[in-house]
Every structure is written in C-alpha cells, then in structure tokens.
C-alpha cells in the first residue's frame, strides 16, 4: 500500500456503477503545493475528487488561527453543494503537495441524481458520512482536551494507515510532530511532551524508521472516550 493511499477512501460508499457516472462528468485539474482549491465564503458549486496528492481542509477561528479538520487523500471526494439557493464554502482547502484533483459541478451531480435513483440514495449516504466526519472531529477537538484529541488522531491514523503486528499497530504513514500538532490545534512542543509521556508509559513506541507503533490501543480509546464509531468515520 502506498503511503498516501488510505484504506478507507470515502468514495467506497458509492457503487462501481454510480462512481462511473460521477467520473464521466469530472474535469481534472492540477494544483501546486501550497495552492488553495477554495477559501471560506467563496461560492461552493463543485465537488472535488483527489486523483493524486493530499488536500488539507481547515477552518479559520475567530482569532485568525487555522484548525485542521481533515486530510483528504487519494480516492476521497469532498466539497459542499447548495440545498436551497447558493452555498458558500465553510472551510478552506489547500494542497499539501503537488496534487491532481478532479471536479464535478453541482449541475452535473443533480443530473446524475435525477437520472439514476440508486445514485441519489448513495449521495444522501455520502453527505451523511461527511457530516458525521466533521461532527466527530469537532467533538474530539473541543470536548476532551489536547490529550484526548491526540489519542483520537492516533486511532484515526491507525485505522487509515495501520498495520497490525505482534507488538501492536504500526502507523505506516510517517508524520512530524508539527503535522500532528496542526491536526489537534496545538503546538509542536505540546505534542512532543505528550508523545514522550506515552512512550515512557508504554502506550506507544517507535520503529527503526521512526514510525509510531501503538502498544496500548485501549488506553488511547479510554482517553478520548471512544464511542466505537465505524472505521469509515474514525479515519484521518
């Protein structure tokens, strides 16, 4: 499995037939590293599908800080469509590396829904999944403190990129402590301290290549008050 290919892209919710209808209307675009796909309050009339690369979705707080909500990887579909009238983006989307992203317009989505009943049901399920993804991430960030948010993030990473072994679950996707800090809206120094405590207490360890190995998954789940969400929702 490639490092940037998650186990559970959110397009798994679509049948092969429906996704072929979606791909038939897509238009491919290239985004350079650090370029924005869209910004908050811009008109939202497209969905975006990651062909290659990585896209970070953030929310700007009242004090001007960016809260990282999700990292969309190869195979993920994201974006917001209007239900009544025009819709504005509630989030920012930025390419973390050179990326290829396909777009499909709201008009084309509506055409697929009108002409294919099964696709309409699957789009409703996809929108429900995306709402749950946002809800659970905000819950983790706001309710259970920095330790709870870090525990939740490690669990999400293990679900998306984890390989189970005799010693625990190794997260094959390597992330810097700064990147982990961005995901839980804190400082790199705070993440350094929390991970050091986890290692000292036998909750995690590191492989020779610097990959995190989770030794005590139950401790992480307890810290973040894990509700046992489906893996399709509990992902990075």
């Amino acid at each position: 499995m490639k490092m940037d290919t998650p186990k559970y892209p959110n397009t798994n919710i679509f049948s092969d037939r429906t996704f072929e209808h979606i791909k038939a209307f897509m238009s491919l675009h290239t985004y350079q590293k650090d370029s924005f796909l869209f910004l908050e309050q811009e008109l939202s009339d497209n969905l975006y599908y990651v062909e290659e690369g990585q896209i970070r979705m953030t929310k700007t707080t009242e004090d001007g800080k960016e809260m990282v909500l999700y990292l969309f990887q190869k195979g993920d579909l994201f974006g917001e469509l209007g239900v009544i009238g025009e819709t504005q983006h509630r989030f920012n989307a930025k390419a973390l590396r050179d990326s290829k992203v396909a777009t499909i317009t709201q008009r084309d989505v509506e055409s697929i829904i009108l002409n294919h009943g099964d696709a309409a049901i699957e789009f409703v399920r996809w929108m429900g999944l995306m709402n749950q993804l946002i809800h659970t991430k905000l819950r983790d960030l706001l309710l259970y403190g920095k330790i709870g948010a870090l525990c939740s993030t490690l669990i999400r990473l293990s679900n998306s990129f984890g390989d189970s072994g005799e010693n625990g679950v190794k997260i094959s996707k390597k992330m810097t402590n700064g990147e982990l800090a961005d995901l839980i809206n804190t400082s790199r120094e705070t993440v350094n301290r929390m991970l050091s405590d986890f290692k000292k207490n036998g909750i995690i360890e590191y492989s020779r290549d610097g990959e995190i190995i989770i030794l005590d998954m139950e401790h992480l789940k307890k810290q973040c008050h894990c509700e046992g969400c489906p893996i399709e929702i509990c992902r990075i």
Side-chain angles (χ1 to χ4, degrees):
M1 179 178 296
K2 293 182 180 180
M3 183 182 67
D4 61 349
T5 304
K7 294 180 179 179
Y8 302 99
N10 63 27
T11 48
N12 282 354
I13 204 165
F14 294 107
S15 65
D16 291 342
R17 181 179 180 183
T18 294
F19 201 65
E20 285 302 315
H21 293 315
I22 296 171
K23 291 183 71 173
F25 286 98
M26 285 182 173
S27 176
L28 188 63
H29 305 273
T30 299
Y31 294 90
Q32 294 183 341
K33 179 182 177 180
D34 294 329
S35 62
F36 284 92
L37 283 68
F38 54 78
L39 297 169
E40 291 179 61
Q41 299 184 351
E42 290 184 347
L43 180 64
S44 174
D45 56 3
N46 289 309
L47 294 181
Y48 300 80
Y49 175 73
V50 185
E51 291 275 4
E52 297 288 347
Q54 187 179 76
I55 307 299
R56 181 170 66 182
M57 190 174 75
T58 65
K59 178 70 176 176
T60 305
T61 62
E62 291 184 358
D63 57 0
K65 295 181 180 179
E66 278 196 332
M67 179 185 296
V68 179
L69 295 177
Y70 275 96
L71 300 179
F72 291 110
Q73 320 273 345
K74 181 177 180 180
D76 282 333
L77 182 72
F78 64 97
E80 302 171 272
L81 298 179
V83 178
I84 300 176
E86 294 185 347
T87 294
Q88 294 179 331
H89 286 292
R90 294 177 294 167
F91 312 104
N92 307 300
K94 182 180 183 180
L96 292 186
R97 63 184 69 159
D98 292 346
S99 302
K100 294 181 179 179
V101 180
T103 60
I104 178 172
T105 67
Q106 176 162 340
R107 179 174 296 180
D108 288 334
V109 171
E110 290 172 351
S111 175
I112 294 171
I113 290 173
L114 286 172
N115 290 288
H116 305 282
D118 290 346
I121 295 173
E122 291 172 24
F123 264 108
V124 169
R125 291 174 178 166
W126 175 80
M127 288 188 289
L129 172 66
M130 296 302 290
N131 285 333
Q132 285 182 287
L133 287 171
I134 299 299
H135 171 76
T136 56
K137 185 61 184 288
L138 291 175
R139 176 201 64 196
D140 294 343
L141 288 171
L142 299 175
L143 295 184
Y144 303 123
K146 302 305 181 185
I147 290 181
L150 178 59
C151 291
S152 172
T153 298
L154 292 176
I155 294 170
R156 291 172 185 272
L157 283 168
S158 73
N159 287 336
S160 295
F161 303 99
D163 297 314
S164 297
E166 293 182 0
N167 297 327
V169 180
K170 181 171 69 174
I171 299 173
S172 60
K173 182 177 180 64
K174 293 176 65 176
M175 300 188 71
T176 67
N177 289 358
E179 289 172 328
L180 288 172
D182 288 340
L183 285 171
I184 64 174
N185 196 33
T186 192
S187 66
R188 179 174 57 83
E189 290 75 17
T190 299
V191 170
N192 291 347
R193 184 173 63 255
M194 290 190 292
L195 289 177
S196 294
D197 288 342
F198 285 172
K199 185 174 185 297
K200 179 180 178 180
N201 293 316
I203 299 164
I204 68 167
E205 67 178 11
Y206 293 92
S207 70
R208 293 180 179 179
D209 296 326
E211 299 158 320
I212 294 176
I213 301 174
I214 299 175
L215 304 176
D216 191 346
M217 186 70 73
E218 291 306 312
H219 177 86
L220 298 183
K221 290 181 177 180
K222 183 178 180 180
Q223 288 291 322
C224 66
H225 302 262
C226 177
E227 297 178 357
C229 298
I231 291 179
E232 292 79 6
I233 294 172
C234 187
R235 44 151 285 178
I236 199 64

